[in-house]
Amino acid sequence: MQSKNYLITNIGELFGILGQEVKQLKGKEQSHINTLKNAYLLVENGLISDFGPMSECPAYSGEIKDLSAQWLLPGFVDSHTHMVFAGPRHNEYVMRLQGKTYADIAAEGGGILNSAKRLQGMSEDELYQRTFDYAQAAIKSGTCALEIKSGYGLSVEAELKMLRVIKRLKTSLPIAVKATFLGAHAFPAEYKNNHEAYIRQIVDEMLPVIAKEGLADFIDVFCDEGFYSTEETDYILKAAAAYGLQPKIHGNELGITGGVQVAVANQSLSVDHLEHIGEAEIECLKASETMPVALPGSSFFLKIPYTPGRRIIDSGLPLAIASDFNPGSSPCSNLWFIWSLACLYNGLLPEEGFNALTINAAKAMGLETSLGSITKGKRACFIVTRAFEHINEMPYWFTQNHAVEVLV
Ligand code: NIG
Ligand code: FE
């Protein structure tokens, strides 16, 4: 952890400089990165208070961090994770290697229900310790803000337990954390044929406690084939809106199911996955403030189609990318690898991937005024890397953690 006041000198190149008025980068703008070579940056009270060329570096009597020409980037923002879980699902990984699909396993009671069974039996303290360790690993690779979802509880008690773990992490981790209530991640087996009864639990028993204890910032629903219908999703989102919870939706992962439209109609901050989208979905997003988010880690791990990122950006939209870190579809929190996947398979240029992981990701979790760029007044959290020939090299060297140091 870094102190609250310090001066960084001899930055080889400073990346991601934006004015405070920039909330996102879309279409052609997304391929542009403002940089400054041979720079200094001053941090006061944990915020960026000034930066500029070394020739104008002020005299400073406090702590100085000399980067000796290394590079400085704004910390990455991971706007979509399921970081609270009770253990890995390596058995299902092997079942898939032997030919079963993710959907087959879910239909047999595995998948999310498997994670829920294990989590229901684990103490809050153990769950907290596991998640804290996963978060530390993510921070080491440059993650400086995390959205974390519930959704492996699927009972009143277990969903609240997950959200209480996230609440503890908000104070124990040195980075920004936002909590998303995803009670509507799957239907518990006993409610398979009685969706209404489980939705009643979400609305009548979970939401009021969550609101009273301030346990969530956002509401999510897995709106997709075999999971929640658009009508069910709309009903839950409207109930959550009454408690001031803005949506972030899982949609269009398994098919074109209306997830985008229901997200936009409910002023969703983001709609995530989008492996299956058509022209109607793109037009709908264009008429909205909702951030499309691609999750290439889950496409890679499940061997399902990739979100057409190139098409989304070429249509003039912004795009964010996130890890989707979870035990079933994306056991990877390393955003450098997600960046490589986004270039290779979502069709992004390296610069577009950088903006997808910083300013656009910050917008996807409502943090665009405090994180996601080098801007005066924003929170000081940075990644130090070696000096490369070009920023293209960051996603080129795939699977490498390029963070020499993470300043949070
Ligand atoms: O984003 N698609 C829904 N939820 C998670 C996966 C959940 C799981 O398999 O445990 C996702 O991919
Ligand atoms: Fe997810």
Side-chain angles (χ1 to χ4, degrees):
M1 194 159 352
Q2 195 65 34
S3 56
K4 284 194 170 304
N5 300 296
Y6 56 101
L7 175 72
I8 309 177
T9 60
N10 296 310
I11 302 166
E13 194 160 353
L14 179 62
F15 287 81
I17 301 168
L18 290 175
Q20 182 61 257
E21 72 291 351
V22 181
K23 309 279 185 248
Q24 62 181 359
L25 293 168
K26 57 184 181 179
K28 287 195 172 32
E29 299 162 358
Q30 192 165 338
S31 61
H32 186 71
I33 307 177
N34 281 317
T35 78
L36 187 62
K37 288 192 170 136
N38 198 14
Y40 76 90
L41 186 147
L42 182 63
V43 174
E44 286 178 317
N45 296 319
L47 303 176
I48 301 172
S49 73
D50 205 3
F51 58 87
M54 264 318 279
S55 56
E56 293 169 18
C57 185
Y60 190 70
S61 55
E63 182 189 337
I64 294 183
K65 197 167 177 56
D66 185 338
L67 284 203
S68 309
Q70 294 177 108
W71 288 5
L72 195 73
L73 323 184
F76 293 150
V77 174
D78 200 346
S79 71
H80 181 140
T81 83
H82 305 251
M83 197 167 268
V84 186
F85 54 89
R89 299 216 302 265
H90 52 84
N91 294 343
E92 294 179 4
Y93 169 63
V94 173
M95 285 160 79
R96 286 195 300 105
L97 298 179
Q98 291 170 329
K100 287 213 166 144
T101 67
Y102 182 77
D104 294 337
I105 296 167
E108 288 166 11
I112 295 168
L113 298 185
N114 183 1
S115 283
K117 202 186 298 162
R118 197 161 164 190
L119 186 139
Q120 286 165 4
M122 187 173 276
S123 74
E124 183 184 310
D125 283 343
E126 186 174 353
L127 211 45
Y128 167 80
Q129 195 51 54
R130 278 176 180 262
T131 315
F132 183 82
D133 293 345
Y134 293 133
Q136 290 296 339
I139 293 169
K140 279 204 181 93
S141 64
T143 300
C144 289
L146 271 174
E147 183 257 15
I148 311 179
K149 300 173 193 296
S150 71
Y152 291 129
L154 306 184
S155 72
V156 178
E157 194 192 335
E159 282 295 312
L160 295 175
K161 176 167 68 182
M162 291 186 78
L163 291 168
R164 288 182 183 127
V165 165
I166 305 171
K167 191 171 184 180
R168 284 166 70 180
L169 293 166
K170 286 186 176 188
T171 48
S172 62
L173 290 174
I175 61 168
V177 173
K178 293 276 185 189
T180 299
F181 171 49
L182 177 55
H185 197 189
F187 286 98
E190 58 276 32
Y191 294 98
K192 198 171 160 194
N193 299 313
N194 189 0
H195 288 189
E196 206 188 315
Y198 181 62
I199 293 172
R200 286 254 67 82
Q201 268 191 29
I202 292 178
V203 171
D204 296 342
E205 298 178 49
M206 300 186 200
L207 278 174
V209 184
I210 290 166
K212 188 160 163 248
E213 292 186 26
L215 291 176
D217 302 291
F218 307 116
I219 173 90
D220 191 349
V221 177
F222 187 11
C223 177
D224 224 315
E225 262 167 33
F227 290 85
Y228 286 74
S229 70
T230 50
E231 291 75 22
E232 290 165 343
T233 303
D234 191 61
Y235 181 78
I236 295 166
L237 297 186
K238 293 214 158 49
Y243 294 105
L245 298 180
Q246 197 179 1
K248 281 173 67 63
I249 294 297
H250 276 78
N252 294 49
E253 175 181 0
L254 308 171
I256 298 203
T257 50
V260 169
Q261 286 80 353
V262 75
V264 167
N266 285 280
Q267 286 86 43
S268 239
L269 201 48
S270 71
V271 56
D272 306 25
H273 272 294
L274 305 174
E275 286 84 347
H276 300 271
I277 59 168
E279 221 28 65
E281 283 69 28
I282 295 210
E283 288 308 314
C284 179
L285 285 165
K286 277 164 85 172
S288 81
E289 280 294 310
T290 302
M291 178 66 70
V293 181
L295 306 169
S298 52
S299 297
F300 174 78
F301 195 68
L302 297 183
K303 300 199 262 188
I304 62 173
Y306 283 82
T307 305
R310 181 76 269 134
R311 197 165 125 225
I312 290 174
I313 295 176
D314 285 347
S315 72
L317 285 165
L319 183 74
I321 54 176
S323 73
D324 197 15
F325 181 58
N326 77 75
S329 70
S330 188
C332 167
S333 64
N334 178 339
L335 291 170
W336 301 100
F337 182 53
I338 298 300
W339 186 356
S340 300
L341 290 178
C343 293
L344 289 167
Y345 300 112
N346 298 114
L348 271 60
L349 295 169
E351 291 87 347
E352 291 170 329
F354 172 87
N355 287 321
L357 280 177
T358 53
I359 188 66
N360 287 357
K363 170 99 178 343
M365 60 184 288
L367 293 176
E368 71 278 12
T369 57
S370 60
L371 283 161
S373 63
I374 301 296
T375 303
K376 283 184 199 171
K378 283 198 178 179
R379 187 167 167 156
C381 44
F382 312 107
I383 303 170
V384 179
T385 72
R386 68 180 169 89
F388 292 86
E389 280 187 15
H390 193 277
I391 197 165
N392 290 343
E393 279 188 75
M394 291 189 180
Y396 162 87
W397 298 109
F398 69 97
T399 77
Q400 297 290 308
N401 170 12
H402 297 301
V404 173
E405 199 178 343
V406 182
L407 308 176
V408 287

CSV table of all heavy atoms in Angstrom, one decimal, residues 76-127:
chain,number,residue,atom,x,y,z
A,76,PHE,N,-6.4,-0.8,-13.6
A,76,PHE,CA,-7.5,-1.5,-14.3
A,76,PHE,C,-8.7,-1.5,-13.4
A,76,PHE,O,-8.6,-1.6,-12.2
A,76,PHE,CB,-7.1,-2.9,-14.7
A,76,PHE,CG,-6.0,-3.0,-15.7
A,76,PHE,CD1,-5.2,-4.1,-15.8
A,76,PHE,CD2,-5.8,-2.0,-16.7
A,76,PHE,CE1,-4.2,-4.3,-16.7
A,76,PHE,CE2,-4.8,-2.1,-17.7
A,76,PHE,CZ,-4.0,-3.3,-17.7
A,77,VAL,N,-9.9,-1.5,-14.1
A,77,VAL,CA,-11.2,-1.6,-13.4
A,77,VAL,C,-11.8,-2.9,-13.8
A,77,VAL,O,-12.0,-3.1,-15.0
A,77,VAL,CB,-12.0,-0.4,-13.8
A,77,VAL,CG1,-13.4,-0.5,-13.2
A,77,VAL,CG2,-11.3,0.9,-13.3
A,78,ASP,N,-12.1,-3.8,-12.9
A,78,ASP,CA,-12.8,-5.0,-13.3
A,78,ASP,C,-14.3,-4.9,-12.9
A,78,ASP,O,-14.7,-5.0,-11.7
A,78,ASP,CB,-12.2,-6.2,-12.5
A,78,ASP,CG,-12.5,-7.5,-13.2
A,78,ASP,OD1,-13.5,-7.5,-14.1
A,78,ASP,OD2,-11.9,-8.6,-13.0
A,79,SER,N,-15.1,-4.6,-13.9
A,79,SER,CA,-16.5,-4.2,-13.6
A,79,SER,C,-17.5,-5.4,-13.5
A,79,SER,O,-18.7,-5.2,-13.4
A,79,SER,CB,-17.0,-3.3,-14.7
A,79,SER,OG,-17.2,-4.0,-15.9
A,80,HIS,N,-17.0,-6.6,-13.6
A,80,HIS,CA,-17.9,-7.8,-13.6
A,80,HIS,C,-17.1,-9.0,-13.0
A,80,HIS,O,-16.3,-9.6,-13.7
A,80,HIS,CB,-18.4,-8.1,-15.0
A,80,HIS,CG,-19.3,-9.2,-15.1
A,80,HIS,ND1,-20.4,-9.2,-15.9
A,80,HIS,CD2,-19.3,-10.5,-14.5
A,80,HIS,CE1,-21.1,-10.3,-15.8
A,80,HIS,NE2,-20.4,-11.1,-15.0
A,81,THR,N,-17.3,-9.3,-11.7
A,81,THR,CA,-16.8,-10.5,-11.2
A,81,THR,C,-17.8,-11.2,-10.2
A,81,THR,O,-18.7,-10.6,-9.7
A,81,THR,CB,-15.5,-10.3,-10.3
A,81,THR,OG1,-15.8,-9.9,-9.0
A,81,THR,CG2,-14.5,-9.3,-10.9
A,82,HIS,N,-17.5,-12.5,-10.1
A,82,HIS,CA,-18.3,-13.3,-9.1
A,82,HIS,C,-17.2,-13.9,-8.1
A,82,HIS,O,-17.0,-15.1,-8.0
A,82,HIS,CB,-19.0,-14.5,-9.8
A,82,HIS,CG,-19.8,-14.2,-10.9
A,82,HIS,ND1,-21.2,-14.2,-10.9
A,82,HIS,CD2,-19.6,-13.7,-12.2
A,82,HIS,CE1,-21.7,-13.9,-12.1
A,82,HIS,NE2,-20.7,-13.6,-12.9
A,83,MET,N,-16.5,-12.9,-7.5
A,83,MET,CA,-15.3,-13.3,-6.7
A,83,MET,C,-15.6,-14.1,-5.4
A,83,MET,O,-14.7,-14.8,-4.9
A,83,MET,CB,-14.5,-12.1,-6.4
A,83,MET,CG,-13.1,-12.4,-6.0
A,83,MET,SD,-12.0,-10.9,-6.1
A,83,MET,CE,-11.4,-11.0,-7.7
A,84,VAL,N,-16.8,-14.0,-4.9
A,84,VAL,CA,-17.2,-14.8,-3.7
A,84,VAL,C,-17.7,-16.1,-4.1
A,84,VAL,O,-18.8,-16.3,-4.6
A,84,VAL,CB,-18.3,-14.0,-2.9
A,84,VAL,CG1,-18.5,-14.8,-1.5
A,84,VAL,CG2,-17.9,-12.6,-2.6
A,85,PHE,N,-16.8,-17.2,-3.9
A,85,PHE,CA,-17.3,-18.5,-4.1
A,85,PHE,C,-16.5,-19.5,-3.2
A,85,PHE,O,-15.5,-19.2,-2.7
A,85,PHE,CB,-17.2,-18.9,-5.6
A,85,PHE,CG,-15.9,-18.8,-6.2
A,85,PHE,CD1,-14.9,-19.8,-6.2
A,85,PHE,CD2,-15.5,-17.6,-6.9
A,85,PHE,CE1,-13.7,-19.7,-6.8
A,85,PHE,CE2,-14.3,-17.5,-7.5
A,85,PHE,CZ,-13.4,-18.5,-7.5
A,86,ALA,N,-17.2,-20.7,-3.0
A,86,ALA,CA,-16.7,-21.6,-2.0
A,86,ALA,C,-15.6,-22.5,-2.5
A,86,ALA,O,-15.0,-23.2,-1.7
A,86,ALA,CB,-17.8,-22.3,-1.4
A,87,GLY,N,-15.4,-22.6,-3.8
A,87,GLY,CA,-14.3,-23.5,-4.3
A,87,GLY,C,-14.4,-23.6,-5.8
A,87,GLY,O,-15.4,-23.2,-6.4
A,88,PRO,N,-13.4,-24.3,-6.3
A,88,PRO,CA,-13.3,-24.4,-7.8
A,88,PRO,C,-14.3,-25.5,-8.3
A,88,PRO,O,-14.8,-26.3,-7.5
A,88,PRO,CB,-11.8,-24.9,-8.0
A,88,PRO,CG,-11.5,-25.6,-6.7
A,88,PRO,CD,-12.2,-24.9,-5.6
A,89,ARG,N,-14.5,-25.5,-9.6
A,89,ARG,CA,-15.4,-26.6,-10.2
A,89,ARG,C,-14.6,-27.4,-11.2
A,89,ARG,O,-15.0,-27.5,-12.4
A,89,ARG,CB,-16.7,-25.9,-10.8
A,89,ARG,CG,-17.5,-25.2,-9.8
A,89,ARG,CD,-19.0,-25.3,-10.0
A,89,ARG,NE,-19.5,-24.9,-11.3
A,89,ARG,CZ,-19.9,-23.6,-11.6
A,89,ARG,NH1,-20.1,-22.7,-10.6
A,89,ARG,NH2,-20.3,-23.3,-12.8
A,90,HIS,N,-13.5,-27.9,-10.7
A,90,HIS,CA,-12.6,-28.6,-11.7
A,90,HIS,C,-13.2,-29.9,-12.2
A,90,HIS,O,-12.9,-30.3,-13.3
A,90,HIS,CB,-11.2,-28.9,-11.0
A,90,HIS,CG,-11.4,-29.6,-9.7
A,90,HIS,ND1,-11.5,-31.0,-9.6
A,90,HIS,CD2,-11.5,-29.1,-8.4
A,90,HIS,CE1,-11.7,-31.3,-8.3
A,90,HIS,NE2,-11.7,-30.2,-7.6
A,91,ASN,N,-14.2,-30.5,-11.4
A,91,ASN,CA,-14.8,-31.7,-12.0
A,91,ASN,C,-15.6,-31.4,-13.2
A,91,ASN,O,-15.6,-32.2,-14.2
A,91,ASN,CB,-15.8,-32.3,-10.9
A,91,ASN,CG,-15.0,-32.8,-9.7
A,91,ASN,OD1,-13.8,-33.0,-9.8
A,91,ASN,ND2,-15.7,-33.0,-8.6
A,92,GLU,N,-16.3,-30.3,-13.2
A,92,GLU,CA,-17.1,-29.9,-14.3
A,92,GLU,C,-16.2,-29.5,-15.5
A,92,GLU,O,-16.6,-29.7,-16.7
A,92,GLU,CB,-18.0,-28.7,-14.0
A,92,GLU,CG,-19.1,-29.1,-12.9
A,92,GLU,CD,-20.0,-27.9,-12.5
A,92,GLU,OE1,-19.9,-26.8,-13.1
A,92,GLU,OE2,-20.8,-28.2,-11.6
A,93,TYR,N,-15.1,-29.0,-15.2
A,93,TYR,CA,-14.1,-28.7,-16.3
A,93,TYR,C,-13.7,-30.0,-17.0
A,93,TYR,O,-13.8,-30.1,-18.2
A,93,TYR,CB,-12.9,-28.0,-15.6
A,93,TYR,CG,-11.6,-27.8,-16.4
A,93,TYR,CD1,-11.6,-27.0,-17.5
A,93,TYR,CD2,-10.4,-28.5,-16.0
A,93,TYR,CE1,-10.4,-26.8,-18.2
A,93,TYR,CE2,-9.3,-28.2,-16.7
A,93,TYR,CZ,-9.3,-27.4,-17.8
A,93,TYR,OH,-8.1,-27.2,-18.4
A,94,VAL,N,-13.5,-31.0,-16.2
A,94,VAL,CA,-13.1,-32.3,-16.8
A,94,VAL,C,-14.3,-32.9,-17.6
A,94,VAL,O,-14.2,-33.4,-18.7
A,94,VAL,CB,-12.6,-33.3,-15.8
A,94,VAL,CG1,-12.4,-34.7,-16.4
A,94,VAL,CG2,-11.3,-32.7,-15.2
A,95,MET,N,-15.6,-32.8,-17.0
A,95,MET,CA,-16.8,-33.2,-17.7
A,95,MET,C,-16.9,-32.5,-19.1
A,95,MET,O,-17.2,-33.2,-20.1
A,95,MET,CB,-18.0,-32.9,-16.9
A,95,MET,CG,-18.2,-33.9,-15.7
A,95,MET,SD,-19.3,-33.2,-14.5
A,95,MET,CE,-20.9,-33.5,-15.2
A,96,ARG,N,-16.5,-31.3,-19.1
A,96,ARG,CA,-16.6,-30.5,-20.4
A,96,ARG,C,-15.5,-31.0,-21.4
A,96,ARG,O,-15.7,-31.1,-22.6
A,96,ARG,CB,-16.6,-29.0,-20.2
A,96,ARG,CG,-17.9,-28.5,-19.6
A,96,ARG,CD,-18.0,-27.0,-19.8
A,96,ARG,NE,-17.0,-26.2,-19.0
A,96,ARG,CZ,-15.9,-25.6,-19.6
A,96,ARG,NH1,-15.8,-25.6,-20.9
A,96,ARG,NH2,-15.0,-25.0,-18.9
A,97,LEU,N,-14.3,-31.3,-20.8
A,97,LEU,CA,-13.2,-31.8,-21.6
A,97,LEU,C,-13.7,-33.2,-22.3
A,97,LEU,O,-13.2,-33.5,-23.4
A,97,LEU,CB,-12.0,-32.1,-20.8
A,97,LEU,CG,-11.3,-30.8,-20.2
A,97,LEU,CD1,-10.1,-31.2,-19.4
A,97,LEU,CD2,-11.0,-29.8,-21.2
A,98,GLN,N,-14.5,-33.9,-21.6
A,98,GLN,CA,-15.0,-35.2,-22.1
A,98,GLN,C,-16.2,-35.1,-22.9
A,98,GLN,O,-16.8,-36.1,-23.3
A,98,GLN,CB,-15.2,-36.1,-20.9
A,98,GLN,CG,-13.9,-36.5,-20.2
A,98,GLN,CD,-14.1,-37.2,-18.9
A,98,GLN,OE1,-15.1,-37.0,-18.2
A,98,GLN,NE2,-13.2,-38.1,-18.5
A,99,GLY,N,-16.7,-33.9,-23.2
A,99,GLY,CA,-17.8,-33.7,-24.2
A,99,GLY,C,-19.0,-33.1,-23.7
A,99,GLY,O,-19.9,-32.7,-24.6
A,100,LYS,N,-19.3,-33.0,-22.4
A,100,LYS,CA,-20.5,-32.3,-22.0
A,100,LYS,C,-20.5,-30.8,-22.2
A,100,LYS,O,-19.4,-30.2,-22.2
A,100,LYS,CB,-20.7,-32.6,-20.5
A,100,LYS,CG,-21.1,-34.0,-20.2
A,100,LYS,CD,-22.1,-34.2,-19.1
A,100,LYS,CE,-22.7,-35.5,-19.1
A,100,LYS,NZ,-22.9,-36.1,-17.8
A,101,THR,N,-21.6,-30.2,-22.3
A,101,THR,CA,-21.6,-28.7,-22.5
A,101,THR,C,-22.0,-28.1,-21.1
A,101,THR,O,-22.5,-28.8,-20.2
A,101,THR,CB,-22.7,-28.3,-23.5
A,101,THR,OG1,-24.0,-28.5,-23.0
A,101,THR,CG2,-22.5,-28.9,-24.8
A,102,TYR,N,-21.7,-26.8,-21.0
A,102,TYR,CA,-22.0,-26.0,-19.8
A,102,TYR,C,-23.5,-26.2,-19.5
A,102,TYR,O,-23.9,-26.4,-18.4
A,102,TYR,CB,-21.7,-24.6,-20.1
A,102,TYR,CG,-21.9,-23.6,-19.0
A,102,TYR,CD1,-21.1,-23.5,-17.9
A,102,TYR,CD2,-23.0,-22.7,-19.0
A,102,TYR,CE1,-21.3,-22.6,-16.9
A,102,TYR,CE2,-23.2,-21.8,-18.0
A,102,TYR,CZ,-22.4,-21.8,-16.9
A,102,TYR,OH,-22.6,-20.9,-15.9
A,103,ALA,N,-24.4,-26.1,-20.6
A,103,ALA,CA,-25.8,-26.2,-20.4
A,103,ALA,C,-26.2,-27.6,-20.0
A,103,ALA,O,-27.1,-27.7,-19.1
A,103,ALA,CB,-26.5,-25.9,-21.8
A,104,ASP,N,-25.6,-28.7,-20.5
A,104,ASP,CA,-25.9,-30.1,-20.0
A,104,ASP,C,-25.6,-30.1,-18.5
A,104,ASP,O,-26.4,-30.7,-17.8
A,104,ASP,CB,-24.9,-31.1,-20.6
A,104,ASP,CG,-25.0,-31.3,-22.1
A,104,ASP,OD1,-26.1,-30.9,-22.6
A,104,ASP,OD2,-24.1,-31.7,-22.8
A,105,ILE,N,-24.5,-29.6,-18.1
A,105,ILE,CA,-24.1,-29.7,-16.7
A,105,ILE,C,-25.1,-28.9,-15.8
A,105,ILE,O,-25.5,-29.4,-14.7
A,105,ILE,CB,-22.6,-29.2,-16.5
A,105,ILE,CG1,-21.7,-30.2,-17.2
A,105,ILE,CG2,-22.2,-29.2,-15.0
A,105,ILE,CD1,-20.3,-29.7,-17.4
A,106,ALA,N,-25.5,-27.7,-16.3
A,106,ALA,CA,-26.4,-26.9,-15.5
A,106,ALA,C,-27.8,-27.7,-15.4
A,106,ALA,O,-28.4,-27.7,-14.3
A,106,ALA,CB,-26.6,-25.6,-16.2
A,107,ALA,N,-28.2,-28.3,-16.5
A,107,ALA,CA,-29.5,-29.0,-16.5
A,107,ALA,C,-29.5,-30.2,-15.5
A,107,ALA,O,-30.5,-30.6,-15.0
A,107,ALA,CB,-29.8,-29.4,-17.9
A,108,GLU,N,-28.3,-30.8,-15.3
A,108,GLU,CA,-28.2,-31.9,-14.4
A,108,GLU,C,-28.1,-31.5,-12.9
A,108,GLU,O,-27.8,-32.3,-12.1
A,108,GLU,CB,-27.0,-32.8,-14.7
A,108,GLU,CG,-27.1,-33.5,-16.0
A,108,GLU,CD,-25.7,-34.1,-16.5
A,108,GLU,OE1,-24.7,-34.0,-15.8
A,108,GLU,OE2,-25.7,-34.5,-17.7
A,109,GLY,N,-28.2,-30.2,-12.7
A,109,GLY,CA,-28.1,-29.7,-11.3
A,109,GLY,C,-26.7,-29.3,-10.9
A,109,GLY,O,-26.4,-29.0,-9.7
A,110,GLY,N,-25.8,-29.3,-11.8
A,110,GLY,CA,-24.4,-28.9,-11.6
A,110,GLY,C,-24.3,-27.4,-11.8
A,110,GLY,O,-25.3,-26.7,-11.6
A,111,GLY,N,-23.1,-26.9,-12.1
A,111,GLY,CA,-23.0,-25.4,-12.4
A,111,GLY,C,-23.2,-24.5,-11.2
A,111,GLY,O,-22.7,-24.8,-10.1
A,112,ILE,N,-24.1,-23.5,-11.4
A,112,ILE,CA,-24.3,-22.5,-10.4
A,112,ILE,C,-24.9,-23.2,-9.1
A,112,ILE,O,-24.6,-22.9,-8.0
A,112,ILE,CB,-25.3,-21.4,-10.9
A,112,ILE,CG1,-24.6,-20.7,-12.1
A,112,ILE,CG2,-25.7,-20.5,-9.8
A,112,ILE,CD1,-25.5,-19.7,-12.9
A,113,LEU,N,-25.8,-24.2,-9.3
A,113,LEU,CA,-26.4,-24.9,-8.2
A,113,LEU,C,-25.3,-25.7,-7.4
A,113,LEU,O,-25.4,-25.8,-6.2
A,113,LEU,CB,-27.5,-25.9,-8.7
A,113,LEU,CG,-28.7,-25.2,-9.4
A,113,LEU,CD1,-29.8,-26.2,-9.7
A,113,LEU,CD2,-29.3,-24.1,-8.6
A,114,ASN,N,-24.4,-26.2,-8.1
A,114,ASN,CA,-23.2,-26.9,-7.4
A,114,ASN,C,-22.5,-25.9,-6.5
A,114,ASN,O,-22.2,-26.2,-5.3
A,114,ASN,CB,-22.4,-27.5,-8.5
A,114,ASN,CG,-21.2,-28.3,-8.0
A,114,ASN,OD1,-21.0,-28.5,-6.8
A,114,ASN,ND2,-20.4,-28.8,-9.0
A,115,SER,N,-22.2,-24.7,-7.1
A,115,SER,CA,-21.5,-23.7,-6.3
A,115,SER,C,-22.3,-23.3,-5.1
A,115,SER,O,-21.8,-23.0,-4.0
A,115,SER,CB,-21.2,-22.5,-7.1
A,115,SER,OG,-20.1,-22.7,-8.0
A,116,ALA,N,-23.7,-23.2,-5.3
A,116,ALA,CA,-24.6,-22.7,-4.2
A,116,ALA,C,-24.6,-23.7,-3.1
A,116,ALA,O,-24.5,-23.3,-1.9
A,116,ALA,CB,-26.0,-22.5,-4.8
A,117,LYS,N,-24.6,-25.0,-3.4
A,117,LYS,CA,-24.7,-26.0,-2.4
A,117,LYS,C,-23.4,-25.9,-1.5
A,117,LYS,O,-23.5,-25.9,-0.3
A,117,LYS,CB,-24.7,-27.4,-3.0
A,117,LYS,CG,-25.3,-28.5,-2.1
A,117,LYS,CD,-25.2,-29.9,-2.7
A,117,LYS,CE,-26.0,-30.1,-4.0
A,117,LYS,NZ,-25.6,-31.2,-4.7
A,118,ARG,N,-22.3,-25.7,-2.1
A,118,ARG,CA,-21.0,-25.7,-1.4
A,118,ARG,C,-20.9,-24.4,-0.5
A,118,ARG,O,-20.5,-24.4,0.6
A,118,ARG,CB,-19.8,-25.8,-2.3
A,118,ARG,CG,-18.6,-26.1,-1.7
A,118,ARG,CD,-17.5,-26.6,-2.7
A,118,ARG,NE,-16.2,-26.6,-2.0
A,118,ARG,CZ,-15.1,-26.8,-2.7
A,118,ARG,NH1,-15.1,-27.1,-4.0
A,118,ARG,NH2,-14.0,-26.7,-2.1
A,119,LEU,N,-21.4,-23.3,-1.1
A,119,LEU,CA,-21.3,-22.0,-0.4
A,119,LEU,C,-22.3,-22.0,0.8
A,119,LEU,O,-21.9,-21.4,1.8
A,119,LEU,CB,-21.6,-20.9,-1.4
A,119,LEU,CG,-21.4,-19.5,-0.8
A,119,LEU,CD1,-20.8,-18.6,-1.8
A,119,LEU,CD2,-22.7,-18.8,-0.3
A,120,GLN,N,-23.4,-22.6,0.6
A,120,GLN,CA,-24.4,-22.6,1.8
A,120,GLN,C,-23.8,-23.2,3.0
A,120,GLN,O,-24.1,-22.8,4.1
A,120,GLN,CB,-25.7,-23.3,1.3
A,120,GLN,CG,-26.5,-22.4,0.4
A,120,GLN,CD,-27.6,-23.2,-0.3
A,120,GLN,OE1,-27.9,-24.4,-0.1
A,120,GLN,NE2,-28.3,-22.6,-1.3
A,121,GLY,N,-22.9,-24.2,2.8
A,121,GLY,CA,-22.3,-24.9,4.0
A,121,GLY,C,-21.0,-24.2,4.5
A,121,GLY,O,-20.4,-24.8,5.4
A,122,MET,N,-20.6,-23.1,4.0
A,122,MET,CA,-19.4,-22.5,4.4
A,122,MET,C,-19.6,-21.3,5.3
A,122,MET,O,-20.6,-20.5,5.1
A,122,MET,CB,-18.6,-22.1,3.1
A,122,MET,CG,-17.2,-21.6,3.5
A,122,MET,SD,-16.2,-21.4,2.0
A,122,MET,CE,-15.6,-23.0,1.7
A,123,SER,N,-18.8,-21.1,6.3
A,123,SER,CA,-19.0,-20.0,7.2
A,123,SER,C,-18.6,-18.7,6.5
A,123,SER,O,-17.8,-18.6,5.5
A,123,SER,CB,-18.1,-20.1,8.4
A,123,SER,OG,-16.7,-19.9,8.1
A,124,GLU,N,-19.2,-17.6,7.0
A,124,GLU,CA,-18.9,-16.3,6.4
A,124,GLU,C,-17.4,-15.9,6.5
A,124,GLU,O,-16.8,-15.4,5.6
A,124,GLU,CB,-19.7,-15.2,7.2
A,124,GLU,CG,-19.6,-13.8,6.6
A,124,GLU,CD,-20.3,-12.7,7.3
A,124,GLU,OE1,-21.5,-12.9,7.6
A,124,GLU,OE2,-19.6,-11.7,7.6
A,125,ASP,N,-16.8,-16.3,7.6
A,125,ASP,CA,-15.4,-16.0,7.8
A,125,ASP,C,-14.5,-16.7,6.8
A,125,ASP,O,-13.6,-16.1,6.2
A,125,ASP,CB,-14.9,-16.3,9.2
A,125,ASP,CG,-15.4,-15.3,10.2
A,125,ASP,OD1,-15.8,-14.2,9.8
A,125,ASP,OD2,-15.4,-15.6,11.4
A,126,GLU,N,-14.8,-18.0,6.6
A,126,GLU,CA,-14.0,-18.7,5.6
A,126,GLU,C,-14.2,-18.1,4.2
A,126,GLU,O,-13.2,-18.0,3.4
A,126,GLU,CB,-14.3,-20.2,5.6
A,126,GLU,CG,-13.3,-21.0,4.7
A,126,GLU,CD,-13.5,-22.5,4.8
A,126,GLU,OE1,-14.2,-23.0,5.6
A,126,GLU,OE2,-12.8,-23.1,3.9
A,127,LEU,N,-15.4,-17.8,3.9
A,127,LEU,CA,-15.7,-17.2,2.6
A,127,LEU,C,-15.0,-15.9,2.4
A,127,LEU,O,-14.5,-15.6,1.3
A,127,LEU,CB,-17.2,-17.0,2.5
A,127,LEU,CG,-18.0,-17.1,1.2
A,127,LEU,CD1,-17.6,-18.3,0.4
A,127,LEU,CD2,-19.5,-17.2,1.5
